[in-house]
Amino acid sequence: MNVELTIEKLVFGGDGLGFIDKKACFVEGALPGEKVLARIVHEKPNYAKARLIRVLEPSPCRIAPPCPYIQACGGCQYQHLPYEEELRWKEEQVKESFRQALKLDPSMIRPIQRGPKEYGYRNSITLHRTRQKGNKPQRLGFIGRDNRSVILIGNCLLAEDALKKIFTEEHTLGKNEEKRVFKTDEEGRIFSSDNEKIYSVRVGSCSLKTNSMGFFQNNLAVTELIAEQLEAWVRETGPVRFLDLYSGVGTFSLLAASAVPEIHCFEENPYSMSCVEKNFKALGVPLGGIHPGKVEKRFPAFILPHRKEKTFVFLDPPRQGIASSLAEFFSKENVAENIVYLACDLQILIRDLKTILAGGGYTIRDIIPFDMFPRTKHIEVLVWLTRT
Ligand SMILES: C[S@@+](CC[C@H](N)C(=O)[O-])C[C@H]1O[C@@H](n2cnc3c(N)ncnc32)[C@H](O)[C@@H]1O
């Protein structure tokens, strides 16, 4: 069914929201103020999703997306909007989510922070196998807007220049290898996930060792901004102990907490773990302990004997957030004086905060969104909780 509607705002994920007889309708690619013709593709009792067919009355903000693959590729959601507008809407989405889910006054959310680059900021790209099976050389691509097909592209505007060649080169995947991650080091050399290698990445004044089989932050300029903020909060609170949960190679411990007397890293990826000690040693920072394995298993037993001491916990979990058992542990046991949670998924962050805050032992002290992934729907949010 085709419908005409006027778009009111951009919701989390980048869709334009309008209403048809009071029913919410989400239209991908439509902008606030626009009158659009759209086709309903998915209908539920309380909302519908529609595909944009034609913009009948365009927004004065609408711009031509610079990427020629935008119609098919699923990576970007905001290229048709000036970057300043994207930032304004993302900040609005964070305010709205916290207001709705946690009844928080939107004035508590600080302005969204941005890095210097709107494009060309990614030092890591994941490419997928097309339908071609086997191990013959082939070009790899991005998952399309339909979430199924693999789209071959000549270049991605989000990627650093050094990564350009991976899009047009042919790659030979192993029999069961469905995707490959390509990353750059501080010299612009490329490392990929089929070949285990340790290499160096520079964030601000620190050169850190990382492993091609482990995680490293994708946007280094914004990582530096986040670390500066974290360092300010660590300095302000003067903890005796900094616990880096989901530490990777120890990035935030080293960038933001090197002055804390006792630092511990908790991480399950053995490739990342193997770099932690190397990084602390190279930077001359004493390491209190490494705790390999699942955070939800290792952390509770470690912290309980130290609950009365001034501990600062930093959480930087993957997109799935923290285990529910860990969120409940924080909620019940109030083991740390300060907790800072860095999240790459707004909805998951809200889920975890709801659980942690339910015990009444913590309050939110500060919230800062960071635009780690310009032109895409993603928003990184840093939240500081203090014990009440
Ligand atoms: C978003 S990354 C953050 C890494 C690090 N803080 C950094 O900035 O580079 C999440 C990390 O958590 C690790 N991880 C995921 N689930 C985990 C779990 N249940 N227990 C321990 N580590 C986990 C991943 O291996 C990854 O290194």
Side-chain angles (χ1 to χ4, degrees), residues 2-13:
N2 287 356
V3 288
E4 275 186 26
L5 72 162
T6 301
I7 302 300
E8 295 188 5
K9 59 179 173 178
L10 289 178
V11 295
F12 179 64

Side-chain angles (χ1 to χ4, degrees), residues 345-358:
D345 187 306
L346 182 56
Q347 307 306 334
I348 297 291
L349 168 68
I350 298 274
R351 178 200 74 187
D352 291 346
L353 288 179
K354 268 187 174 170
T355 308
I356 297 173
L357 294 169

Side-chain angles (χ1 to χ4, degrees), residues 214-217 223 244-252 266-269 272 293-296 314 316-320 342 344:
F215 174 89
F216 203 86
Q217 296 289 343
T223 301
D244 192 348
L245 273 50
Y246 311 90
S247 68
V249 299
T251 307
F252 283 102
F266 294 74
E267 166 64 50
E268 72 173 2
N269 182 311
S272 300
K294 297 255 177 231
V295 166
E296 53 274 30
F314 175 64
D316 182 15
R319 205 160 283 288
Q320 310 88 278
L342 176 62
C344 55

Side-chain angles (χ1 to χ4, degrees), residues 215-227:
F215 174 89
F216 203 86
Q217 296 289 343
N218 294 173
N219 182 333
L220 301 181
V222 176
T223 301
E224 210 181 327
L225 292 180
I226 295 171

Side-chain angles (χ1 to χ4, degrees), residues 68-334:
Y69 308 99
I70 195 82
Q71 296 299 338
C73 176
C76 289
Q77 288 73 33
Y78 286 107
Q79 285 198 15
H80 54 313
L81 200 59
Y83 186 44
E84 292 305 323
E85 281 295 297
E86 172 187 339
L87 289 168
R88 188 169 75 75
W89 280 107
K90 283 182 166 173
E91 188 177 306
E92 205 48 49
Q93 289 158 13
V94 177
K95 287 182 172 165
E96 184 64 11
S97 298
F98 275 89
R99 190 187 62 73
Q100 269 188 12
L102 297 169
K103 309 279 172 276
L104 214 78
D105 181 347
S107 68
M108 266 204 72
I109 286 131
R110 289 216 247 156
I112 191 164
Q113 306 293 301
R114 57 165 291 183
K117 287 184 175 171
E118 178 183 338
Y119 290 100
Y121 58 83
R122 280 197 76 103
N123 63 3
S124 164
I125 290 287
T126 302
L127 294 180
H128 299 255
R129 185 193 273 284
T130 56
R131 286 222 188 103
Q132 185 184 319
K133 295 290 168 211
N135 53 4
K136 286 212 184 100
Q138 61 173 291
R139 281 181 64 197
L140 308 175
F142 283 135
I143 303 290
R145 276 192 193 281
D146 60 5
N147 245 334
R148 279 196 319 272
S149 40
V150 172
I151 312 296
L152 295 181
I153 63 167
N155 185 27
C156 170
L157 299 177
L158 304 189
E160 279 180 358
D161 279 353
L163 284 166
K164 261 189 179 142
K165 61 181 187 187
I166 64 167
F167 301 104
T168 47
E169 272 175 356
E170 295 200 320
H171 307 273
T172 307
L173 295 188
K175 214 166 137 210
N176 297 318
E177 198 184 350
E178 287 302 316
K179 60 183 180 181
R180 188 170 284 181
V181 186
F182 299 86
K183 303 177 182 198
T184 54
D185 75 350
E186 56 194 25
E187 313 277 339
R189 284 175 297 217
I190 298 175
F191 293 82
S192 58
S193 55
D194 58 315
N195 189 4
E196 196 224 318
K197 279 266 159 56
I198 291 181
Y199 61 94
S200 300
V201 180
R202 179 163 292 277
V203 192
S205 59
C206 285
S207 175
L208 298 172
K209 293 259 181 265
T210 184
N211 191 301
S212 53
M213 312 295 268
F215 174 89
F216 203 86
Q217 296 289 343
N218 294 173
N219 182 333
L220 301 181
V222 176
T223 301
E224 210 181 327
L225 292 180
I226 295 171
E228 278 167 15
Q229 183 57 64
L230 181 63
E231 187 184 22
W233 291 342
V234 171
R235 214 179 314 116
E236 188 179 330
T237 52
V240 297
R241 184 178 297 106
F242 182 86
L243 303 183
D244 192 348
L245 273 50
Y246 311 90
S247 68
V249 299
T251 307
F252 283 102
S253 294
L254 292 161
L255 293 177
S258 59
V260 178
E262 192 183 322
I263 304 174
H264 292 257
C265 290
F266 294 74
E267 166 64 50
E268 72 173 2
N269 182 311
Y271 300 102
S272 300
M273 279 266 106
S274 71
C275 295
V276 172
E277 223 161 343
K278 289 187 178 61
N279 285 329
F280 275 72
K281 211 178 230 171
L283 294 170
V285 178
L287 176 60
I290 307 187
H291 305 262
K294 297 255 177 231
V295 166
E296 53 274 30
K297 290 232 165 75
R298 301 295 313 263
F299 170 75
F302 171 83
I303 189 68
L304 280 171
H306 301 292
R307 60 190 310 158
K308 296 228 165 69
E309 297 155 25
K310 274 188 108 179
T311 298
F312 194 114
V313 167
F314 175 64
L315 301 163
D316 182 15
R319 205 160 283 288
Q320 310 88 278
I322 65 176
S324 58
S325 63
L326 184 60
E328 278 155 22
F329 176 77
F330 280 120
S331 173
K332 284 198 189 101
E333 302 291 347
N334 308 324

